[in-house]
Amino acid sequence: MTDIRLFGYSDPLAAKLTQTVDFKISAEGTTEASVEIVRLVHGDYNPKGPGFIEEPVGTDLPKSIAVKRQYTQNGSFARVGNERGLLSPKGSFSVFAFIWPSLPGKVRQTIMGSWNVNESKGYALGINPQGKLEFWVGDGKNVDQVTADVPLISKVWVLAGVSYELATGEARLMQINVQNAWNSHIGPVTPYDHNCHIVETLRVKPVASSGDFYLAGAQEHNSERGCFVSLLYNGKIDRSGIVERALSAADMATIAQGSVPFEALAYWDTTVGYTNYGIGNVICDTGPHKLNAIGVNRPVRALTGWNWTGRDDSFRLNPDQYGGVAFHDDAMTDCKWETSISWIPSEQLRSGVYALKVTAGDQVDRIPVIIRPNKPRARIAVQMSTFTYLAYANEHLSFEAQIAQAIVAHTPVISANDIEYEKLQEFGLSTYDHHTDGAGVCYSSWKRPIINIRPGYRMAGMTFPWALPADLSLLWWLEHAGFDYDLITDHDVHQEGLDALSPYKAIINVTHPEYYSETMLDATESYLTSGGRILYIGGNGYYWVTSTCQDDPSCIEVRKLDAGSRAWQAEAGEGYLASTGERSGLWRSRGRAPQKLVGLGFTAEGMDRSEAFERMPDSFHKRAAWIFEGIGEEELIGDFGLAQGGAAGIELDRYDLALGTPPNTLLLASSCGHTDNYPLVSEEITYAFPGRGGSQDPQVRGDMIYFNTPNDGAVFAAGSIAWSQALPYHGGENNVGTIMRNVLNAFKKDGKLPGSGYTGEEKLWR
Amino acid sequence: MADKYVIMRLKDGEEYYRIMAVSGVRGLPPRVVDDREYYDLNDAYHAVFILRINDLMES
């Protein structure tokens, strides 16, 4: 009997009350599963906190549903509809493409063609398992091919082309070097011969296959799974096309110089469609039939092309040199599973984090969904960092990142579920991972099972809950302390801007609001200047320039480059988002350091232990002393917590006037005594020298600050991921909670804030 | 990454561990290093430390 396995996701990940939520489930070893909706109250098993808590929610959903195995198409490629058979020429033809193969060898890959694996019909230009360019054709019985006599070199541009003469069966395979000083991973000084010109007579004439034409894949069928795409390609493809005659060697040489064959049956011009705001998922055919190629699993665009000459670092400056489209055999942004059950949360439901609890045998899965009210109800909103949740979704760090153990300073603690996901490799990667060819992953979506948003999940590298499961500690405490709140999400603020924030007197940022879009920054700034109040109680916030794909809000995009704690580095010239046209990387590098908004910005991270905050002189200033009512003058704040034993730790943010902290900011408290596993962040390192760890560098600390903004607005910030995970300690009654109570009670009221009348300086202490 | 040690938590929410080593190959799960079980995370960390010392001495 097969072991039972359950996987699932909700679409959308966050919904308003009365909006339909579709749960998509795949099951093995069972055809039936029991389901119920639960409210997720606390998501950490740590015995020093309240433990794992969920509450059943009454719904009219059936108690049990039919489930089945659902399959996932991995790999990115582009599909061209071939219903009219135009791309299966009946006579002579030629195909060509500029390519930058990133992983030639080991397995067969298809660059372009109509090849059908099961039928052995059609044709394809591809790469054989020996890493050589190959053109193959099939008639349903036999297959013949012509193969290059020089290997393709990884990450070097060539024009790959073949012309086929039907009458004679002659196939002319050409590989033409288009490498320059800028466009490839090795330069012209390497004495490799990238050119090849082979002419052979094929014994087989291609017979039209059924199905579609693909860039970067071939069609296949399996009786259980149905149609899918295989023989996936790793690397970039620039402009490509097909011509209904056998091109001569001279014709190919002309194409290799950049000319477009005027009689092309199809010409996929990857540079068409750029605007100042990016480019979408459609690769335009500028030929007579407009046979556009549609990207699946988000091929990466806005990349340098075969003719890149390095002067322009963005497609916005020179789209003609940005024809590169990268395909990866492990890219996956949408499982496209059928809906197993839908739920419409009733209008009476409280805003919160819910889950569909799916049970079969001894297996249980909880598929989270964040529920927002359909109209604002509370005076406080918690902005759940859905961008961050996606950025870390299904990260592979403990299994694949050499440096991970050095960063976290301990051995990872994995679970059975981690091993299950590792074995399957079906549910895609995070923006902390690399594709099989070493390229960083820039897209992540919610349309797939995501292990690390499950309640109770501990991220293996850290050994404690991270992001959504950690944020449940904050929500648990808000309920414990009696504060009404609504949940909103990064996606809401990204979509609606200030309108998502303005109904609320106070907004709470959660543990790790790391990924932010320009719209979100603008909304946050407008909210603060118009009297809004923010509790920024996380670490490393407003850090990466991020956006969602214009045609798919479920999918975020980020490019990591130049500076910052980054899991990968974008290739030269590839730092701009295809989804918006803006330069990605750190917001700090674009003039919007987080200090300018919330007074604090990233300064150090470490995962070995956390510390406490100590009061600073400003905490006795009358403008802010009310925040410390109930706290002793020398009392340590948060010398406890569920995230490594303190409220100050994991990732820390620092007050810094030089980076834009408002000069009217009061420095209320700081942490100190961090270990040397908390080094100063790399964006601060201009020269490398010893002594940048927590025991030596004074910039390695978490700060707690307060400042007023125009129109009775304010920011209270405690720059530490561990802050919220200290709240549930001692049954939720502790001095971190005391500070939170003081701030929230003041922030949720209309009118002037306590202490705001004290605008002088020297006379206002104690 | 091949043979890098990891600690496997055998049951959610419980202090119950075993030492494994990753394969370094995507899709190939970690192997169990030995059958010993640990009921305190610090004991498991210490066991990994000893394994690394032994590896170093043998190298």
Side-chain angles (χ1 to χ4, degrees), chain A residues 8-300:
Chain A
Y9 60 97
S10 68
D11 186 25
L13 173 62
K16 280 185 177 176
L17 292 174
T18 72
Q19 182 187 346
T20 302
V21 179
D22 293 328
F23 292 102
K24 293 151 191 289
I25 300 166
S26 176
E28 289 176 73
T30 183
T31 55
E32 193 175 38
S34 60
V35 291
E36 64 172 323
I37 297 290
V38 293
R39 182 180 170 91
L40 303 178
V41 179
H42 195 249
D44 188 351
Y45 288 100
N46 192 326
K48 293 173 180 167
F52 185 93
I53 306 172
E54 63 184 7
E55 292 172 350
V57 175
T59 66
D60 56 2
L61 294 182
K63 285 194 165 59
S64 138
I65 58 168
V67 289
K68 64 178 182 181
R69 169 87 156 99
Q70 304 213 51
Y71 293 88
T72 302
Q73 172 72 61
N74 275 258
S76 54
F77 50 86
R79 177 185 285 123
V80 188
N82 193 24
E83 295 81 7
R84 290 182 286 162
L86 292 169
L87 297 171
S88 303
K90 294 179 177 58
S92 302
F93 67 97
S94 305
V95 292
F96 60 88
F98 288 97
I99 62 167
W100 185 87
S102 55
L103 212 57
K106 292 187 182 172
V107 295
R108 180 169 294 278
Q109 303 175 46
T110 310
I111 298 164
M112 62 194 298
S114 64
W115 185 248
N116 186 308
V117 174
N118 302 79
E119 295 175 352
S120 286
K121 288 181 183 174
Y123 63 91
L125 182 63
I127 304 171
N128 72 10
Q130 288 72 46
K132 291 181 177 174
L133 186 67
E134 191 163 281
F135 173 68
W136 63 93
V137 300
D139 63 6
K141 290 180 184 167
N142 297 301
V143 179
D144 201 3
Q145 70 281 327
V146 53
T147 306
D149 57 1
V150 298
L152 288 160
I153 303 299
S154 175
K155 302 181 182 177
V156 172
W157 281 104
V158 294
L159 176 74
V162 66
S163 54
Y164 174 73
E165 181 72 54
L166 181 70
T168 61
E170 185 181 275
R172 179 188 307 276
L173 183 70
M174 295 189 72
Q175 181 177 309
I176 302 176
N177 182 8
V178 294
Q179 179 191 41
N180 67 27
W182 304 88
N183 66 3
S184 299
H185 261 220
I186 56 172
V189 298
T190 309
Y192 288 163
D193 184 3
H194 303 287
N195 293 298
C196 158
H197 186 176
I198 302 277
V199 180
E200 284 183 11
T201 301
L202 299 181
R203 295 170 286 111
V204 176
K205 295 189 187 305
V207 170
S209 61
S210 60
D212 293 326
F213 180 98
Y214 291 91
L215 293 174
Q219 54 199 320
E220 192 167 349
H221 182 272
N222 175 295
S223 58
E224 205 164 301
R225 183 177 168 183
C227 290
F228 62 102
V229 175
S230 64
L231 304 186
L232 296 155
Y233 166 79
N234 283 296
K236 290 194 273 192
I237 300 178
D238 197 324
R239 281 145 276 202
S240 61
I242 177 167
V243 179
E244 283 185 297
R245 70 178 176 87
L247 295 172
S248 66
D251 292 332
M252 283 290 184
T254 308
I255 293 172
Q257 290 168 1
S259 70
V260 181
F262 68 90
E263 75 277 49
L265 171 67
Y267 184 70
W268 292 283
D269 189 342
T270 49
T271 67
V272 169
Y274 278 117
T275 72
N276 264 344
Y277 299 95
I279 193 163
N281 213 19
V282 177
I283 299 171
C284 292
D285 168 24
T286 57
H289 304 291
K290 309 298 177 204
L291 300 170
N292 293 340
I294 310 300
V296 175
N297 284 329
R298 204 59 63 178
V300 184

Side-chain angles (χ1 to χ4, degrees), chain A residues 45 330 398-402 405 410-416 419 422-423 425 429 434 458 463, chain B residues 1 4-9 12-13 17 20 22 24-30 41 45 48 52:
Chain A
Y45 288 100
D330 57 355
S398 295
F399 290 97
E400 298 184 359
Q402 292 281 3
Q405 294 196 20
H410 51 73
T411 311
V413 181
I414 62 171
S415 67
I419 295 178
E422 173 63 18
K423 280 194 298 192
Q425 294 296 327
L429 303 165
H434 296 78
R458 289 168 173 246
T463 72
Chain B
M1 278 299 281
K4 235 179 172 55
Y5 295 115
V6 294
I7 297 166
M8 163 97 172
R9 185 189 297 273
D12 279 349
Y17 308 98
M20 303 183 84
V22 298
V25 178
R26 188 175 280 181
L28 198 61
L41 184 55
Y45 283 143
V48 170
R52 287 175 176 155

Side-chain angles (χ1 to χ4, degrees), chain A residues 31 90 306 359 418 443 445 481 504 534 566 624 648 693 726-727 745 764:
Chain A
T31 55
K90 294 179 177 58
W306 71 274
T359 308
D418 288 317
Y443 291 117
S445 97
Y504 299 101
I534 285 184
R566 54 203 188 278
L727 285 168
N745 280 330
L764 299 176

Side-chain angles (χ1 to χ4, degrees), chain A residues 280 332 646 707:
Chain A
M332 209 289 291
F707 63 91

